[in-house]
Amino acid sequence: MKLDITSFTGEVPWLDSHLLEDTQAETAIDCRLTNGSLRAYRAPLDEQVLNDSPKTIYLYRNEGERYWFDWTTDVDVIRSPVADDPNNRVYYTGTVKGPRYTDNGLALSGGSDYPVNDLQLGIPEPDVAPVVSLSGTPLEDAEEVDAETRFYTYTWVDQNGREGPPSLPSGEIVVKPGETVDINVGASPGAVDLNITHYRIYTSTQVGVYQLCTQINNSGTIGTDTPVGVTSVVDETPMDRRGDILETIGWVAPPNNLKGLVVLPGGVAVGFSGKELMFSEPYHLYAWPAAYRLTVEYEIQSLAVAANSVIITTDGYPYVAFGTEPSAMTMERLDTAHACISKRSMVDMGDMALYVSPDGLVRIAGGRADLMTRNIINPEDWRERFQPDTIHACFHDGRYFGFYGNAVNGGGFIFSPDSGTFTELGTYADACYRDLQDDSLYLAIGDTIKAWDKGSELMPYRWRSKVFQGKPAAFTSARIMADSYDNLGFRVFRDGDLVLELQVASDRGFRLPAGRGSRWQFELAGTDTVTAVIVASSMAEL
């Protein structure tokens, strides 16, 4: 009688151990299962020590240098969608201060706990309407038909030229040729982290739009932009010298509890608050018009982007929103009710997304939702073993890296949606981050960021076979085929008892303790690459 294990695959907790296929494992911890061989990962490589244990990490690059941003809250970070942004801006939600943004000037100056500084995302509407009155003298030949009925409004503008929504309009004023308009506006918004530096004044036109007043007199200085704090100015703009049409009507700031920030092709940011799905103005991520919002039936939990669509998970049904413009998005509810129970479990995997439900890992792709772990682990074991409501995850090398629990009572797992391979990790991470530029996975373990599988030392694995069950048999000999024999332990269990434990030193066959058993199981532990395990009832069969 002979057993040949010439290929190694992962766990299938769904099945009792004796029902597994010969290549499948009852336990596979820290096992790199590629090309059928059993291999070891390299130990994580220390990258940087932080001031605290973070919940979110992000690798920021600027002028060839690397800086780690970290937060102790669940923060969603996106890069600026503007090509070749000279400020290298990033945006994020989930901080105690609400939606924020930072850039290479703010984030890297004045300290080493990055980002050092950031600013509020969004420009508010002025609190008060402008008050207007006439000054000057009408031209002698001016007639009533030459008079223009106007309304005025103004907008706040920050140091980067970002312009907010307009104030309420002024009262009506009728202006004849030769007359100018005195305008009184409110003081600055007062929020110190808005960096609002000036304002712009617009006037209504006969065609029903507001145009920029380009000749505003501020105590003798004529210009378009007026510094905040100057509350009284005069509009001397001729009708034929008016500037651009006001475009920021409805460009409201994002709500303070905006979450889940992602970005669509075309420079549109997407987030959520409660049951509302929200879209920004394209390439103006500080403006989130109310007209661009959609509502679902359940509380939204997380978002991911696939092509031109947004995948939305909730505490009920998942949804998909698709379209080319934020003003014309269409939303569709998927029929399968797979609730998302951990926001941080949602992972964008290119053309699909994976997230955690009470029953296992769910994949959304092509407008369908599928329970990917249906044939790997049953829902009861899933909930008992992996604390799914605590799972956070990253996508790396085509696989889903999930971490659950905490540093004291937790761990991790790797799931490959292509092969269905499921292995466990002996490492718990407080946060993880996948960097596309160097194709690396980074883990925050305690207060240290580590690069996964980058260390010089190999990390020991443990692979335990299925239970081979049948009529009582006597296996007397074994042989292990490996690339090396520097660190390779082998254990044999017979009818539940450990009967042999040794370090394998070569590919030569060796004897097993005498005895018959109806349940046999074999375990490999170490760092050497193993290609086969052969167990037989005689040395000749090896």
Side-chain angles (χ1 to χ4, degrees):
M1 186 175 179
K2 181 180 176 184
L3 292 176
D4 287 329
I5 304 175
T6 56
S7 181
F8 299 86
T9 58
E11 300 178 16
V12 185
W14 175 273
L15 296 174
D16 286 340
S17 183
H18 69 283
L19 298 176
L20 298 173
E21 296 180 7
D22 289 358
T23 62
Q24 292 173 336
E26 178 185 277
T27 301
I29 300 176
D30 293 331
C31 299
R32 183 199 291 271
L33 302 175
T34 56
N35 303 321
S37 298
L38 172 60
R39 303 172 184 268
Y41 287 104
R42 294 192 174 277
L45 176 66
D46 285 0
E47 171 85 6
Q48 183 164 328
V49 177
L50 305 173
N51 293 330
D52 206 343
S53 296
K55 206 170 186 178
T56 305
I57 55 176
Y58 177 82
L59 181 55
Y60 182 81
R61 287 184 168 87
N62 190 66
E63 297 181 349
E65 299 296 325
R66 295 155 52 103
Y67 305 88
W68 280 102
F69 291 4
D70 65 281
W71 297 268
T72 56
T73 56
D74 174 24
V75 172
D76 299 287
V77 190
I78 61 171
R79 298 174 61 189
S80 170
V82 177
D84 300 320
D85 178 2
N87 298 311
N88 200 7
R89 192 168 294 148
V90 294
Y91 302 82
Y92 38 92
T93 56
T95 72
V96 294
K97 295 181 180 180
R100 313 288 291 178
Y101 77 92
T102 193
D103 57 30
N104 47 20
L106 292 165
L108 309 179
S109 301
S112 58
D113 189 5
Y114 305 116
V116 180
N117 303 291
D118 56 19
L119 293 175
Q120 180 177 322
L121 180 61
I123 307 293
E125 174 185 317
D127 292 332
V128 297
V131 177
V132 296
S133 59
L134 291 173
S135 61
T137 304
L139 299 178
E140 288 186 3
D141 56 351
E143 300 181 7
E144 291 297 328
V145 294
D146 297 321
E148 182 183 38
T149 300
R150 302 178 190 173
F151 296 87
Y152 281 85
T153 185
Y154 65 104
T155 62
W156 298 127
V157 184
D158 74 3
Q159 63 177 0
N160 298 307
R162 303 185 314 156
E163 186 172 8
S167 69
L168 291 173
S170 68
E172 178 183 295
I173 191 168
V174 179
V175 185
K176 295 178 181 179
E179 293 181 319
T180 56
V181 181
D182 296 328
I183 305 170
N184 288 289
V185 303
S188 68
V192 295
D193 65 348
L194 286 171
N195 269 15
I196 289 173
T197 56
H198 51 283
Y199 61 90
R200 292 173 184 158
I201 293 177
Y202 293 80
T203 188
S204 61
T205 69
Q206 303 300 328
V207 294
V209 298
Y210 282 88
Q211 281 186 276
L212 181 65
C213 299
T214 61
Q215 294 187 14
I216 297 294
N217 188 330
N218 167 26
S219 300
T221 300
I222 308 297
T224 298
D225 295 337
T226 305
V228 294
V230 176
T231 58
S232 297
V233 293
V234 180
D235 177 26
E236 299 177 351
T237 308
M239 292 177 62
D240 61 353
R241 298 292 298 274
R242 290 172 181 162
D244 294 336
I245 292 173
L246 175 62
E247 296 182 343
T248 62
I249 297 174
W251 284 24
V252 297
N256 197 60
N257 61 349
L258 186 75
K259 299 178 183 177
L261 203 60
V262 294
V263 64
L264 280 165
V268 177
V270 191
F272 67 88
S273 173
K275 297 179 181 180
E276 278 195 308
L277 183 69
M278 304 179 181
F279 299 86
S280 77
E281 194 70 27
Y283 298 104
H284 297 285
L285 274 59
Y286 65 93
W288 294 72
Y292 296 172
R293 299 181 183 182
L294 301 173
T295 304
V296 298
E297 301 168 76
Y298 303 90
E299 293 284 328
I300 299 175
Q301 298 297 316
S302 58
L303 305 176
V305 170
N308 286 319
S309 64
V310 184
I311 296 170
I312 306 116
T313 67
T314 74
D315 55 11
Y317 289 87
Y319 297 76
V320 176
F322 49 90
T324 56
E325 295 289 338
S327 59
M329 298 296 290
T330 300
M331 187 152 59
E332 179 181 304
R333 193 185 83 172
L334 305 186
D335 291 336
T336 308
H338 288 305
C340 176
I341 59 173
S342 174
K343 173 185 175 296
R344 299 174 72 204
S345 73
M346 182 79 148
V347 169
D348 177 358
M349 302 186 73
D351 58 349
M352 63 179 173
L354 284 181
Y355 68 93
V356 165
S357 80
D359 298 328
L361 281 176
V362 178
R363 176 184 65 182
I364 295 181
R368 294 185 54 189
D370 301 301
L371 187 62
M372 289 295 287
T373 51
R374 183 187 309 277
N375 297 321
I376 295 176
I377 184 168
N378 65 55
E380 292 78 14
D381 289 341
W382 170 251
R383 291 189 288 268
E384 182 179 343
R385 289 183 55 183
F386 296 107
Q387 306 174 50
D389 60 332
T390 69
I391 290 175
H392 63 91
C394 278
F395 171 57
H396 178 60
D397 283 348
R399 290 168 292 171
Y400 183 98
F401 283 70
F403 300 91
Y404 62 90
N406 53 50
V408 177
N409 181 28
F413 61 86
I414 303 173
F415 173 70
S416 171
D418 293 332
S419 64
T421 302
F422 186 93
T423 57
E424 294 186 61
L425 292 171
T427 300
Y428 171 79
D430 297 281
C432 58
Y433 175 78
R434 178 205 181 195
D435 184 68
L436 294 175
Q437 190 164 327
D438 62 14
D439 191 28
S440 295
L441 176 66
Y442 294 95
L443 308 178
I445 301 175
D447 64 355
T448 304
I449 296 177
K450 299 174 181 281
W452 171 254
D453 195 32
K454 298 291 186 178
S456 58
E457 301 293 326
L458 293 172
M459 185 167 59
Y461 57 73
R462 185 164 69 90
W463 189 93
R464 181 177 290 192
S465 74
K466 64 169 284 185
V467 171
F468 293 91
Q469 179 173 294
K471 294 180 180 179
F475 290 107
T476 65
S477 308
R479 184 184 180 193
I480 313 295
M481 308 294 293
D483 289 356
S484 60
Y485 297 90
D486 300 319
N487 179 18
L488 180 56
F490 183 61
R491 304 172 80 194
V492 179
F493 298 85
R494 184 176 61 213
D495 292 334
D497 296 325
L498 177 64
V499 297
L500 177 67
E501 182 171 13
L502 57 79
Q503 288 293 308
V504 182
S506 71
D507 65 350
R508 295 171 58 88
F510 53 89
R511 293 287 184 181
L512 304 183
R516 302 175 68 83
S518 57
R519 294 170 58 87
W520 292 82
Q521 198 169 19
F522 311 98
E523 181 177 289
L524 295 164
T527 56
D528 294 314
T529 298
V530 179
T531 56
V533 176
I534 306 169
V535 182
S537 55
S538 69
M539 291 291 287
E541 292 180 280
L542 299 179

